[in-house]
Amino acid sequence: DSKGDPLNFRMSVNINLKVFESEKLVFTKLYNESSDYKNTSKKFNLVQRERELKNSLINLITNNLIKDLDSIK
């Protein structure tokens, strides 16, 4: 904007999972989730939105990770 503040942000959560059994790599996967969101002049709302977004992205990755781990049993 005219003040030099960004109009949009992107939050990304990345997890690189490696599963070893008896020191042998048996599974590897990179999980990526991201989301774009708009800036707001109300910083409290921005921080709250970022916290909610981070939790949502982590939950998405966690659910996929659990499914993958369950499949390699």
Side-chain angles (χ1 to χ4, degrees), residues 62-72:
T62 301
N63 288 337
N64 290 330
L65 193 147
I66 289 170
K67 288 177 190 174
D68 289 339
L69 287 174
D70 190 48
S71 73
I72 62 172

Side-chain angles (χ1 to χ4, degrees), residues 11 13 17 19 22 25 29-30 42 44 52 54 57:
M11 180 177 291
V13 177
L17 175 68
V19 178
S22 301
L25 181 64
K29 186 168 182 178
L30 180 60
K42 299 176 182 176
F44 176 79
E52 292 168 358
K54 180 176 72 172
L57 295 174

Side-chain angles (χ1 to χ4, degrees), residues 13-17 29-33 58 61-62 65:
V13 177
N14 304 307
I15 296 179
N16 187 7
L17 175 68
K29 186 168 182 178
L30 180 60
Y31 300 87
N32 300 304
E33 293 291 342
I58 289 171
I61 289 177
T62 301
L65 193 147

